[in-house]
Amino acid sequence: MDEATAGGLRIAVLVKHVPDAQFDRHISGDDLTTVRTESILSELDEYALEAALQLVEANGGAAGGHRVTAITMGPAAAVNAVKKSLQIGADDGVHLTDEALTGSDASATSRALAALLRHLGPFDLVLTGMASTDGETSLVPAQLAERLALPQVTFAASLELTHEDGGWKLVARRDNDTFAETIEAPLPALVSVTDQINEPRYPNFKGIMAAKKKQIQVLSLADVGLQPDEVGFAGSWTKVEAAAPRPPRSQGTVITDEGDAGIRLVDFLAGQKLL
Amino acid sequence: MTTVLVFLDHPGASLAKSERELLSLGASLGEVAVALADEAGPAYLDGVGSYGVREYYRPETGAVSEVLVAGKAAFLAEAVRASGAGVVLLGNAYESKEIAARLGVRLGAGVITDVVALDSDLTATKSDFAGSYTVNCRVTTDVSILTVKPNSFEAVEAGPPSTPREVPVPVELPHAVARVIGRVDKPVSGRPDLSEARVIVAGGRGVNGDFGPLEELADALGGAVGASRAATDAGWIEHSAQIGQTGKTVSPQLYISAGISGAIQQKAGMQTSKVIVAINKDADSPVFEIADFGIVGDLFTVLPQATDEIRKRGL
Ligand SMILES: Cc1cc2nc3c(=O)[nH]c(=O)nc-3n(C[C@H](O)[C@H](O)[C@H](O)COP(=O)(O)OP(=O)(O)OC[C@H]3O[C@@H](n4cnc5c(N)ncnc54)[C@H](O)[C@@H]3O)c2cc1C
């Protein structure tokens, strides 16, 4: 085994604790931040975790000395996203938590995560979901890549690592409306993955028991060398001024087909001037 | 007067509707300049000029587009500096959002995505939590970067064609980059683009592999065909047709949902459609909760009958 494999891959997976989309989700009236009760590990991050585990398995498994670290930032409860990741198969976890992080927009979030990754690093690969299921902006992965000066592949629908000439290289596929492209990048790199890339596994009993013995490192802003005003509301470059629940769509007419529903549909469309 | 820099990715033969919307929005905010990472033909440039644009920025090096979004973001940052722009407008495709994201870090500027309305003081409106909240937000830095959803702003009439002046900008490419090593073009369908379509007929698991009746209705209505994830996962239709949380968000005038149950992730992509019609065999499907007109019935009889009726009425 040469040096690079002997050392094993270090993979960081970013996991976010987000409100469960199966329930009504709310924005608080006080500070216009997301209400985080009924939260879960973001479904879209499960694909990133699964991708990390599969890459390790495809490249020699635990014996290869590879390590998958689940990383989150957020209030106390956010650690649940890390715990779930450890149950699914991550080796260890990190939780960056600090009052001052409240209200961070994408720019402040990516600043905090970049400082955290620098503090913990170096990593060979940083994996993220394609977007959070709460903010939905998909800005953070690209901003992290920019801040860490990493080659960036976002929205990967497939991902492979190859080891040649003493270095690792990744090959990914991504789809666009008009074309599908194959992308190559040297490691270290940042990749965000779509829900097309794999079928995430569930934690099993063995995994749940094993997770109890795994380490979770808790860090504060000062630990990663950031000042409170660099994150949160103060460190953000955007500001939410108002948030209002959209009035729910009211149910319209529902008819049962009695052989003429297609015609009644056309009548409806004509009435709405949609033809 | 503020300079508004509009980034037009992937210039085609002529200006697309969403590009005209961006240029029109730009013109309502200030003096518009354009940034083009890729080569554009004379007809396209004349079109850009017809919106009052006098200058367009181009990278001095051709390699900008080969290194994915990192190169385009680096170029756009230089174009913002060269033009002194206070507002940057981009489209809302994934790639545009990534470019906007990296540009924000480069310029120390805030980014707002999915903008559907904009006040003159640059307060942006967008929706959150799969369309269940309407949020007003603002960029607090000197430069505002906004990615704008198609169909949200009116494309005003163009003026007479005129060719804007090319301004080359030097760009230093980032050294650690991902490169495109292969590209396969997808066949063009001839139907309108999903994100721009006025009418969308979408199918789910209920179409059972046969999108034929949906395509015929879409053609009769001049619409596009979309799908739920169950249908794209089954391989019945391209993944790019997927509507929802991990697919496209659309807000057409008319969305016809056929054989789709209406799971939260599917609703996420379509519930801001103006009028929603749902056809489903199961009266308890959640899709009926948001439909303006719901039909409990079999899509294989209802859709062909509707298509025939439209043709019969000569509409
Ligand atoms: C992380 C994540 C992201 C997701 N992203 C998306 C997304 O972007 N878009 C998306 O759509 N889904 C998404 N999903 C999946 C989503 O949860 C649902 O599984 C999916 O939308 C179901 O598709 P469907 O309604 O077509 O299928 P089903 O739920 O199986 O519903 C099929 C419906 O067809 C009806 N039907 C059957 N035959 C007929 C007939 N002949 N005539 C009329 N009706 C008939 C049935 O009554 C049923 O209601 C996502 C899921 C996850 C976990």
Side-chain angles (χ1 to χ4, degrees), chain B residues 248-278:
Chain B
K248 293 207 169 66
T249 19
V250 295
S251 13
Q253 297 288 312
L254 171 63
Y255 188 88
I256 301 182
S257 158
I260 299 180
S261 58
I264 179 88
Q265 294 91 347
Q266 153 73 204
K267 280 187 193 160
M270 47 67 83
Q271 65 181 352
T272 55
S273 302
K274 195 105 187 282
V275 173
I276 296 173
V277 170

Side-chain angles (χ1 to χ4, degrees), chain B residues 209-250:
Chain B
D210 180 10
F211 269 80
L214 284 80
E215 285 169 2
E216 289 193 17
L217 179 58
D219 288 343
L221 291 167
V225 176
S228 76
R229 178 163 149 193
T232 58
D233 277 359
W236 299 335
I237 187 166
E238 274 270 335
H239 171 62
S240 54
Q242 184 179 312
I243 288 161
Q245 184 188 29
T246 51
K248 293 207 169 66
T249 19
V250 295

Side-chain angles (χ1 to χ4, degrees), chain A residues 19 21-22 25-27 34 43-44 47 110 130 133-139 142-143 145-147 149-155 171 174-186 195-196 199 236-246 249-257 259-270 272-275, chain B residues 68-69 94-95 97-98 101-102 104-106 108-113 123 126-141 176-186 198 221 229 233 239-240 242 245-246 248 253-254 264-265 271-277 288-297 301-302 305-306 309-310 313 315:
Chain A
Q22 300 302 327
R25 295 176 290 176
H26 297 287
I27 294 176
T34 303
E43 277 174 318
L44 295 177
Y47 297 89
S110 63
M130 60 183 272
T133 56
D134 52 354
E136 295 170 344
T137 68
S138 77
L139 295 174
Q143 295 202 321
E146 181 75 38
R147 290 188 190 280
L150 290 174
Q152 168 201 1
V153 184
T154 54
F155 301 98
V171 177
R174 75 205 297 266
D175 291 311
N176 178 303
D177 275 359
T178 48
F179 51 78
E181 53 192 12
T182 311
I183 291 158
E184 187 182 273
D195 59 342
Q196 301 292 298
E199 260 320 313
S236 292
W237 292 338
T238 60
K239 184 174 186 294
V240 175
E241 299 199 319
R246 182 192 291 274
R249 277 192 94 97
S250 53
Q251 184 173 339
T253 326
V254 180
I255 62 162
T256 301
D257 184 20
D260 62 347
I263 294 159
R264 291 176 67 184
L265 170 56
V266 177
D267 288 339
F268 170 79
L269 296 180
Q272 297 280 322
K273 305 209 183 332
L274 282 166
L275 289 175
Chain B
L68 280 180
V69 291
Y94 288 138
E95 196 171 336
K97 292 190 206 178
E98 295 168 12
R102 298 188 70 129
V105 170
R106 279 186 173 257
V111 184
I112 298 177
T113 61
T123 300
K126 61 182 288 185
S127 65
D128 246 341
F129 292 152
S132 55
Y133 266 82
T134 302
V135 171
N136 294 326
C137 47
R138 279 175 57 82
V139 170
T140 54
T141 53
V177 287
R179 277 176 199 283
V180 179
I181 56 165
R183 178 167 294 176
V184 184
D185 286 325
K186 293 183 180 165
R198 218 179 60 88
L221 291 167
R229 178 163 149 193
D233 277 359
H239 171 62
S240 54
Q242 184 179 312
Q245 184 188 29
T246 51
K248 293 207 169 66
Q253 297 288 312
L254 171 63
I264 179 88
Q265 294 91 347
Q271 65 181 352
T272 55
S273 302
K274 195 105 187 282
V275 173
I276 296 173
V277 170
F288 288 125
E289 292 161 14
I290 58 164
D292 299 288
F293 190 71
I295 297 170
V296 180
T301 53
V302 177
Q305 189 181 48
E309 184 67 16
I310 291 168
R313 294 190 196 180
L315 295 164

